Amino acid sequence: MAAPSLLNWRRVSSFTGPVPRARHGHRAVAIRELMIIFGGGNEGIADELHVYNTVTNQWFLPAVRGDIPPGCAAHGFVCDGTRILVFGGMVEYGRYSNELYELQASRWLWKKVKPQPPPSGLPPCPRLGHSFSLYGNKCYLFAGLANESEDSNNNVPRYLNDFYELELQHGSGVVGWSVPATKGTVPSPRESHTAVIYCKRDSGSPKMYVFGGMCGARLDDLWQLDLETMSWSKPETKGTVPLPRSLHTASVIGNKMYIFGGWVPHKGENTENSPHDCEWRCTSSFSYLNLDTAEWTTLVSDSQEDKKNSRPRPRAGHCAVAIGTRLYFWSGRDGYKKALNSQVCCKDLWYLDTEKPPAPSQVQLIKATTNSFHVKWDEVPTVEGYLLQLNTDLTHQAASPDASAAPNTLGGRTDPHRQGSNSILHNSVSDPANCTKPEHTAVAARGMSLKSKPDSRAADSSVALHSPLAPNTSNNNSCMADMLWKSEVDEICALPATKISRVEAHAAATPFSKETPSNPVAILKAEQWCDVGIFKNNTALVSQFYLLPKGKQSMSKVGNADVPDYSLLKKQDLVPGTVYKFRVAAINGCGIGPFSKLSEFKTCIPGFPGAPSTVRISKNVEGIHLSWEPPTSPSGNILEYSAYLAIRTAQVQDNPSQLVFMRIYCGLKTSCIVTAGQLANAHIDYTSRPAIVFRISAKNEKGYGPATQVRWLQV
């Protein structure tokens, strides 16, 4: 894996909201795309909780409540799901804490928690500058600085090297402290060091890595604690070890531990024979340790100048947090020697992409027309854009089949255009702009989500789809795409699957004829991928694409997001009744990442109705009430609607991804009752949260058109 380029540093120059004041000694954690900062000092110790949304570049101050902790600096700060734990730190000069607080970030609720003391021995003493690391259901506390004096104005420092384990309860609360019996030589006492926990993928036990710190003099030693055997060791490393330092940051991304900034000895000082640093300064040096090979790599040396201000200036006491493969750095103090009055706190936010982004999910269809697609894909955290490509192939283009036939039924069940397909429906997916809480949300097929009745269960907020080709059948609508759409699938499923993070209805489409169309259309050679364009967001309206220059198989250059000048390329319109393959790749400061798995969609042939919209599900005495709105584009008179229910069969038990549907309604009304007897036969889809699956489609003079699929959560 290539090292991050020095050109990948980005300073966030514009953001909105209440920006925190500059500070040092604060701590940060990440919850999804949010960077959460607490504490720190600069003209007083901060007690505010600040949140930065890395997607919207917005700061905000959540309205916290409960047992709000006092301001603190150099404290422990870890995140377990959506709860955050704060331990210790300096609450005022010379006065340190050993109290533990829990924040439920989903409700911004603070709670002071009181762990049980160790079975033998005392609980941790008040301290600052300790490390506090989370792995599984345990936090590991190591070292720090205590004040031996009972008088906070008379500070008598004592460096610690004690080690505690804190067991957490699931979701909220803690069990208590313990003092594990460790083997091997224990690291020397220290404070303002870093500790991270890493476990090799598919092998090995988790290990805690302690680097640097301060004990009169700055340290550059690396220690390893095996958390299964509780054995300390000092691994032999290769490469150039970073300068001794304290108040730096250490962050793990993949198999690398990134070390940035901190206090280092001043140049020219001979500290080897001195137990104390005479002078120190801040640094902007940046290195990483490959935790699999124990090799150090220097990315920015301590002596490397930065005349163009292209990276963060030297600092210590800053915070760093990893979101995806991106590192964020906020604030800290910039100082030289011990002249405290000359130190200035930085008020800047930087980030660095450490590697190319991962592949996005498959492209997902929101809506198809005769000459366009509205598509989306799951967001990839911390990217700067997406490259969308398509191609088409003559062998996958559709003729116009018999559009007059409704979905077949066999003994009351649908034959879901059945030869190899679990689909009966067409290519239309809703993409709501506003979603309420999933447990009270009904799904809308045209970009809306509506509150259902209080006792109604929800249409699932997370669905998934896949798109293998399906064989020919004689009863297809000409507007049907070649996709098998289903409810959300685990990533471990054999079928390719993706996740949609918002409340959505989506469509299932029947197979199409693979005969060559009678009217000519523009044909591209197979596997020649053409750019649709670069998109900042994870959605696109596709009606054209850029044609490849002659003799080229691909037009986009991979590397630092170097793409063609689209103004020099010719455009090609999409045409009706044509199958297009899609793929998408994310872009960040390291370049264009790998492409997603392929999806295939077909443009419609004119004349078919759109998908029913605004689906609502609510309970009643007889069972449930299912209702919907007519298509916004009926393309003539609606002759009937059909509603289907996924049912239990031996086929579904053998292969849960192949759903079988029974028609439960056919008529002109835009609502129906699903009886308790019918629900008793329903297949419960456990591919994500348990749900019952419905599909609804409309028919006009030309046949059945797009259909909406809804997952009704069984909470």
Side-chain angles (χ1 to χ4, degrees), residues 6-69:
L6 301 183
L7 301 177
N8 291 339
W9 288 102
R10 301 280 199 276
R11 180 172 180 173
V12 182
S13 55
S14 61
F15 30 65
T16 58
V19 181
R21 69 178 189 267
R23 63 191 63 193
H24 61 91
H26 52 291
R27 299 290 187 261
V29 295
I31 298 180
R32 293 186 292 274
E33 73 274 13
L34 302 179
M35 178 172 69
I36 301 174
I37 295 173
F38 180 69
N42 182 23
E43 300 177 356
I45 296 178
D47 60 357
E48 313 99 2
L49 190 79
H50 287 266
V51 180
Y52 174 68
N53 187 313
T54 60
V55 175
T56 62
N57 288 341
Q58 183 178 22
W59 289 97
F60 63 94
L61 277 166
V64 296
R65 55 197 174 92
D67 304 324
I68 299 173

Coordinates of all heavy atoms in Angstrom, one line a residue, residues 6-69:
L6 N 2.4 13.7 0.3 CA 2.4 15.0 1.1 C 1.4 16.0 0.5 O 1.0 16.9 1.2 CB 3.8 15.6 1.1 CG 4.9 14.6 1.6 CD1 6.2 15.4 1.7 CD2 4.5 14.1 3.0
L7 N 1.0 15.8 -0.7 CA 0.0 16.8 -1.4 C -1.4 16.5 -0.9 O -2.3 17.2 -1.3 CB 0.2 16.7 -2.9 CG 1.5 17.0 -3.5 CD1 1.5 16.8 -5.0 CD2 2.0 18.4 -3.1
N8 N -1.6 15.4 -0.2 CA -3.0 15.1 0.2 C -3.5 15.8 1.4 O -4.7 15.7 1.7 CB -3.0 13.6 0.5 CG -2.8 12.7 -0.7 OD1 -3.0 13.2 -1.8 ND2 -2.4 11.5 -0.5
W9 N -2.7 16.6 2.1 CA -3.2 17.4 3.2 C -4.2 18.4 2.7 O -4.1 19.0 1.6 CB -2.1 18.2 3.9 CG -1.1 17.4 4.7 CD1 0.1 17.0 4.3 CD2 -1.3 16.8 6.0 NE1 0.7 16.2 5.3 CE2 -0.2 16.1 6.3 CE3 -2.4 16.9 6.9 CZ2 0.0 15.5 7.6 CZ3 -2.3 16.3 8.1 CH2 -1.1 15.6 8.4
R10 N -5.3 18.5 3.4 CA -6.3 19.5 3.1 C -6.7 20.3 4.3 O -6.9 19.7 5.4 CB -7.6 18.9 2.5 CG -7.5 18.0 1.3 CD -7.4 18.8 0.0 NE -7.6 18.0 -1.1 CZ -6.7 17.3 -1.8 NH1 -5.5 17.2 -1.3 NH2 -7.1 16.6 -2.8
R11 N -6.7 21.6 4.2 CA -7.2 22.4 5.3 C -8.7 22.8 5.0 O -9.0 23.3 3.9 CB -6.4 23.7 5.5 CG -6.9 24.6 6.6 CD -6.0 25.8 6.9 NE -6.5 26.5 8.0 CZ -5.9 27.6 8.6 NH1 -4.7 27.9 8.2 NH2 -6.4 28.2 9.6
V12 N -9.5 22.6 6.0 CA -10.9 22.9 5.9 C -11.1 24.4 6.1 O -10.9 24.9 7.2 CB -11.8 22.2 6.9 CG1 -13.3 22.5 6.7 CG2 -11.6 20.7 6.8
S13 N -11.3 25.1 5.0 CA -11.2 26.6 5.0 C -12.6 27.2 5.3 O -12.7 28.4 5.7 CB -10.7 27.1 3.7 OG -11.5 26.7 2.6
S14 N -13.6 26.5 5.1 CA -15.0 27.1 5.4 C -15.9 26.1 6.1 O -16.0 25.0 5.6 CB -15.6 27.5 4.0 OG -15.8 26.4 3.2
F15 N -16.4 26.5 7.2 CA -17.4 25.7 7.9 C -18.4 26.6 8.6 O -18.1 27.8 8.7 CB -16.8 24.6 8.9 CG -15.5 25.0 9.5 CD1 -15.5 26.1 10.4 CD2 -14.4 24.3 9.3 CE1 -14.3 26.5 11.0 CE2 -13.2 24.7 9.9 CZ -13.1 25.7 10.8
T16 N -19.5 26.0 9.0 CA -20.5 26.8 9.6 C -20.7 26.4 11.0 O -20.2 25.3 11.5 CB -21.8 26.7 8.8 OG1 -22.2 25.3 8.8 CG2 -21.7 27.2 7.4
G17 N -21.5 27.2 11.8 CA -21.9 26.8 13.1 C -20.9 27.4 14.1 O -19.9 28.0 13.8
P18 N -21.2 27.1 15.4 CA -20.3 27.6 16.5 C -19.0 26.9 16.6 O -18.9 25.8 17.2 CB -21.2 27.4 17.7 CG -22.0 26.2 17.4 CD -22.3 26.3 15.9
V19 N -17.9 27.5 16.0 CA -16.6 26.8 16.0 C -16.0 26.9 17.4 O -16.1 27.9 18.1 CB -15.7 27.6 15.0 CG1 -14.3 26.9 15.0 CG2 -16.3 27.6 13.6
P20 N -15.5 25.8 17.9 CA -14.9 25.8 19.3 C -13.7 26.8 19.3 O -13.0 27.0 18.3 CB -14.4 24.3 19.5 CG -15.1 23.5 18.4 CD -15.4 24.5 17.3
R21 N -13.5 27.3 20.5 CA -12.3 28.1 20.7 C -11.1 27.2 20.6 O -11.1 26.0 21.0 CB -12.4 28.9 22.0 CG -12.2 28.1 23.2 CD -12.3 29.1 24.4 NE -11.9 28.4 25.7 CZ -12.8 27.9 26.5 NH1 -14.1 28.0 26.2 NH2 -12.4 27.3 27.7
A22 N -10.0 27.8 20.2 CA -8.7 27.1 20.1 C -8.3 26.5 21.5 O -8.6 27.2 22.5 CB -7.6 27.9 19.6
R23 N -7.7 25.4 21.5 CA -7.4 24.7 22.8 C -6.4 23.7 22.7 O -5.9 23.3 21.6 CB -8.7 24.1 23.4 CG -9.2 23.0 22.5 CD -10.6 22.5 22.9 NE -11.6 23.6 22.7 CZ -12.8 23.6 23.2 NH1 -13.2 22.6 23.9 NH2 -13.6 24.6 23.0
H24 N -5.9 23.1 23.8 CA -5.0 22.0 23.8 C -5.4 21.1 25.0 O -6.1 21.5 25.9 CB -3.6 22.4 23.9 CG -3.3 23.2 25.2 ND1 -2.9 22.6 26.4 CD2 -3.3 24.5 25.5 CE1 -2.7 23.5 27.3 NE2 -3.0 24.7 26.8
G25 N -5.0 19.8 24.9 CA -5.4 18.9 25.9 C -6.8 18.3 25.8 O -7.3 17.7 26.7
H26 N -7.5 18.6 24.7 CA -8.8 18.1 24.4 C -8.7 16.7 23.8 O -7.6 16.2 23.5 CB -9.6 19.1 23.5 CG -8.8 19.4 22.2 ND1 -7.7 20.1 22.2 CD2 -9.1 19.0 20.9 CE1 -7.3 20.2 21.0 NE2 -8.1 19.6 20.2
R27 N -9.8 16.1 23.7 CA -9.9 14.7 23.1 C -11.0 14.6 22.1 O -12.0 15.4 22.2 CB -10.1 13.7 24.2 CG -9.0 13.6 25.3 CD -7.7 13.1 24.7 NE -6.7 12.9 25.7 CZ -5.7 13.7 26.0 NH1 -5.6 14.8 25.3 NH2 -4.8 13.4 26.9
A28 N -10.9 13.7 21.2 CA -11.9 13.5 20.2 C -12.2 12.1 19.9 O -11.2 11.2 19.9 CB -11.5 14.3 18.9
V29 N -13.4 11.7 19.5 CA -13.8 10.4 19.0 C -14.7 10.6 17.8 O -15.2 11.7 17.5 CB -14.5 9.6 20.1 CG1 -13.6 9.2 21.2 CG2 -15.8 10.3 20.6
A30 N -14.9 9.5 17.1 CA -15.8 9.6 15.9 C -17.0 8.6 16.1 O -16.8 7.5 16.5 CB -15.0 9.2 14.6
I31 N -18.2 9.1 15.7 CA -19.4 8.3 15.6 C -19.8 8.5 14.1 O -20.3 9.6 13.8 CB -20.5 8.7 16.6 CG1 -20.0 8.4 18.0 CG2 -21.7 7.8 16.3 CD1 -21.0 8.8 19.1
R32 N -19.6 7.5 13.3 CA -19.9 7.6 11.9 C -19.2 8.8 11.3 O -18.0 8.9 11.4 CB -21.4 7.6 11.6 CG -22.1 6.3 12.0 CD -23.5 6.2 11.6 NE -24.4 7.1 12.4 CZ -24.9 6.8 13.6 NH1 -24.7 5.6 14.1 NH2 -25.6 7.7 14.3
E33 N -20.0 9.8 10.7 CA -19.3 10.9 10.1 C -19.1 12.1 11.1 O -18.6 13.2 10.7 CB -20.1 11.4 8.9 CG -21.4 12.1 9.2 CD -22.6 11.2 9.5 OE1 -22.4 10.0 9.6 OE2 -23.7 11.7 9.5
L34 N -19.4 11.9 12.3 CA -19.3 13.0 13.3 C -18.0 12.9 14.1 O -17.6 11.8 14.6 CB -20.5 12.9 14.3 CG -21.9 13.0 13.7 CD1 -22.9 12.9 14.8 CD2 -22.1 14.3 12.9
M35 N -17.3 14.0 14.3 CA -16.2 14.1 15.1 C -16.6 14.9 16.4 O -17.1 16.0 16.3 CB -15.0 14.9 14.4 CG -13.8 15.1 15.3 SD -12.4 15.8 14.5 CE -13.0 17.5 14.1
I36 N -16.5 14.2 17.5 CA -17.0 14.8 18.8 C -15.8 15.1 19.7 O -15.0 14.3 20.0 CB -17.9 13.7 19.5 CG1 -19.1 13.4 18.6 CG2 -18.4 14.3 20.8 CD1 -20.0 12.3 19.0
I37 N -15.8 16.4 20.1 CA -14.7 16.9 20.9 C -15.1 17.3 22.3 O -16.2 18.0 22.4 CB -14.0 18.1 20.1 CG1 -13.4 17.7 18.8 CG2 -13.0 18.8 21.0 CD1 -13.0 18.8 17.9
F38 N -14.3 17.0 23.3 CA -14.7 17.4 24.6 C -13.4 17.9 25.4 O -12.4 17.3 25.3 CB -15.3 16.3 25.4 CG -15.7 16.6 26.8 CD1 -16.7 17.5 27.1 CD2 -15.1 16.0 27.9 CE1 -17.1 17.8 28.4 CE2 -15.4 16.3 29.2 CZ -16.4 17.2 29.4
G39 N -13.6 18.9 26.2 CA -12.6 19.3 27.1 C -11.5 20.1 26.5 O -11.6 20.7 25.4
G40 N -10.3 20.2 27.2 CA -9.2 20.9 26.8 C -9.1 22.3 27.5 O -10.0 22.7 28.2
G41 N -8.0 22.9 27.3 CA -7.7 24.2 28.0 C -7.1 25.2 27.2 O -6.4 24.9 26.2
N42 N -7.5 26.5 27.5 CA -6.9 27.7 26.9 C -7.7 28.8 27.5 O -8.8 29.1 27.1 CB -7.0 27.7 25.3 CG -6.4 28.9 24.7 OD1 -5.5 29.5 25.3 ND2 -6.8 29.3 23.5
E43 N -7.1 29.5 28.4 CA -7.8 30.5 29.2 C -9.0 29.9 29.9 O -10.1 30.3 29.8 CB -8.2 31.7 28.3 CG -7.1 32.4 27.6 CD -7.6 33.5 26.6 OE1 -8.8 33.6 26.5 OE2 -6.8 34.2 26.1
G44 N -8.7 28.8 30.7 CA -9.7 28.1 31.4 C -9.9 26.8 30.7 O -9.6 26.5 29.6
I45 N -10.5 25.9 31.5 CA -10.7 24.5 31.0 C -12.2 24.4 30.4 O -13.1 24.8 31.1 CB -10.5 23.5 32.1 CG1 -9.1 23.5 32.6 CG2 -10.9 22.1 31.7 CD1 -8.8 22.6 33.7
A46 N -12.2 23.9 29.2 CA -13.5 23.8 28.5 C -14.4 22.7 29.0 O -13.9 21.6 29.3 CB -13.3 23.7 27.0
D47 N -15.7 23.0 29.2 CA -16.6 21.9 29.5 C -17.7 21.7 28.5 O -18.6 20.9 28.7 CB -17.3 22.2 30.9 CG -18.1 23.5 30.8 OD1 -18.1 24.2 29.7 OD2 -18.7 23.9 31.8
E48 N -17.5 22.3 27.3 CA -18.5 22.1 26.2 C -18.2 20.8 25.4 O -17.0 20.4 25.3 CB -18.5 23.3 25.3 CG -18.5 24.6 25.9 CD -17.1 25.3 25.9 OE1 -16.2 24.6 25.4 OE2 -17.0 26.4 26.5
L49 N -19.2 20.3 24.8 CA -19.1 19.2 23.9 C -19.4 19.8 22.5 O -20.5 20.3 22.3 CB -20.1 18.1 24.2 CG -20.0 16.8 23.5 CD1 -18.9 15.9 24.1 CD2 -21.3 16.0 23.6
H50 N -18.4 19.7 21.6 CA -18.6 20.2 20.3 C -18.6 19.1 19.3 O -17.9 18.1 19.5 CB -17.4 21.1 19.9 CG -17.5 22.5 20.6 ND1 -18.1 23.6 20.0 CD2 -17.0 22.9 21.8 CE1 -18.0 24.6 20.8 NE2 -17.3 24.2 21.9
V51 N -19.5 19.2 18.3 CA -19.6 18.1 17.3 C -19.4 18.8 15.9 O -19.9 19.8 15.6 CB -21.0 17.5 17.3 CG1 -21.1 16.4 16.3 CG2 -21.3 16.9 18.7
Y52 N -18.6 18.1 15.1 CA -18.3 18.5 13.7 C -18.8 17.4 12.8 O -18.4 16.3 12.9 CB -16.8 18.8 13.5 CG -16.4 19.1 12.1 CD1 -16.8 20.3 11.5 CD2 -15.7 18.2 11.3 CE1 -16.5 20.6 10.2 CE2 -15.3 18.5 10.0 CZ -15.8 19.7 9.5 OH -15.4 20.0 8.2
N53 N -19.7 17.8 11.8 CA -20.2 16.9 10.8 C -19.2 17.0 9.6 O -19.1 18.0 8.9 CB -21.6 17.3 10.4 CG -22.2 16.3 9.5 OD1 -21.6 15.8 8.5 ND2 -23.4 15.9 9.8
T54 N -18.5 15.9 9.3 CA -17.5 15.9 8.3 C -18.1 15.9 6.9 O -17.4 16.2 5.9 CB -16.5 14.7 8.4 OG1 -17.3 13.5 8.3 CG2 -15.8 14.8 9.8
V55 N -19.4 15.6 6.8 CA -20.0 15.6 5.5 C -20.5 17.0 5.1 O -20.3 17.5 4.0 CB -21.2 14.6 5.5 CG1 -22.0 14.7 4.2 CG2 -20.7 13.2 5.7
T56 N -21.1 17.7 6.1 CA -21.7 19.0 5.9 C -20.8 20.2 6.2 O -21.1 21.3 6.0 CB -23.0 19.2 6.7 OG1 -22.7 19.1 8.1 CG2 -24.0 18.1 6.3
N57 N -19.6 19.9 6.8 CA -18.7 20.9 7.3 C -19.4 21.8 8.3 O -19.1 23.1 8.3 CB -18.1 21.7 6.2 CG -17.1 20.9 5.4 OD1 -16.6 19.9 5.8 ND2 -16.8 21.3 4.1
Q58 N -20.1 21.3 9.2 CA -20.9 22.1 10.1 C -20.5 21.7 11.6 O -20.5 20.5 11.9 CB -22.4 22.0 9.9 CG -23.2 22.8 10.8 CD -24.7 22.7 10.5 OE1 -25.1 21.7 9.9 NE2 -25.5 23.7 10.9
W59 N -20.3 22.8 12.4 CA -20.1 22.6 13.8 C -21.4 22.8 14.5 O -22.2 23.6 14.1 CB -19.1 23.6 14.4 CG -17.7 23.4 14.1 CD1 -17.0 24.0 13.0 CD2 -16.7 22.5 14.7 NE1 -15.7 23.6 13.0 CE2 -15.5 22.6 14.0 CE3 -16.8 21.6 15.8 CZ2 -14.4 21.9 14.4 CZ3 -15.7 20.9 16.1 CH2 -14.5 21.1 15.5
F60 N -21.7 22.1 15.6 CA -22.9 22.4 16.4 C -22.6 22.0 17.9 O -21.7 21.2 18.2 CB -24.1 21.7 15.9 CG -24.1 20.2 15.9 CD1 -24.7 19.5 16.9 CD2 -23.6 19.5 14.8 CE1 -24.7 18.1 16.9 CE2 -23.7 18.1 14.8 CZ -24.2 17.4 15.9
L61 N -23.4 22.6 18.7 CA -23.3 22.4 20.2 C -24.5 21.6 20.6 O -25.6 22.2 20.6 CB -23.2 23.7 20.9 CG -21.9 24.3 21.1 CD1 -22.0 25.8 21.6 CD2 -21.0 23.6 22.1
P62 N -24.5 20.3 20.8 CA -25.7 19.6 21.2 C -26.2 20.0 22.6 O -25.4 20.4 23.4 CB -25.2 18.1 21.2 CG -23.7 18.2 21.4 CD -23.3 19.4 20.8
A63 N -27.5 19.9 22.7 CA -28.1 20.3 24.0 C -28.0 19.1 25.0 O -28.9 18.3 25.0 CB -29.6 20.7 23.8
V64 N -26.9 19.0 25.7 CA -26.7 17.9 26.6 C -27.5 18.1 27.9 O -27.8 19.2 28.3 CB -25.2 17.7 26.9 CG1 -24.4 17.4 25.6 CG2 -24.6 19.0 27.5
R65 N -27.7 17.0 28.6 CA -28.5 17.0 29.8 C -28.0 15.9 30.7 O -27.1 15.1 30.3 CB -30.0 16.9 29.6 CG -30.3 15.7 28.8 CD -31.7 15.8 28.2 NE -32.0 14.6 27.3 CZ -32.6 13.5 27.7 NH1 -33.0 13.4 28.9 NH2 -32.8 12.5 26.8
G66 N -28.5 15.9 31.9 CA -28.1 14.8 32.9 C -26.9 15.3 33.8 O -26.8 16.4 34.1
D67 N -26.1 14.3 34.1 CA -25.0 14.6 35.0 C -23.8 15.1 34.2 O -22.8 14.4 33.9 CB -24.5 13.3 35.8 CG -25.7 12.7 36.5 OD1 -26.5 13.4 37.1 OD2 -25.8 11.4 36.6
I68 N -23.9 16.4 33.8 CA -22.8 16.9 33.0 C -21.5 17.0 33.7 O -21.5 17.6 34.8 CB -23.3 18.3 32.4 CG1 -24.6 18.2 31.7 CG2 -22.2 18.9 31.6 CD1 -25.2 19.5 31.2
P69 N -20.4 16.5 33.2 CA -19.2 16.5 33.9 C -18.6 17.9 33.9 O -18.8 18.7 33.0 CB -18.3 15.5 33.1 CG -18.9 15.5 31.7 CD -20.4 15.7 31.9

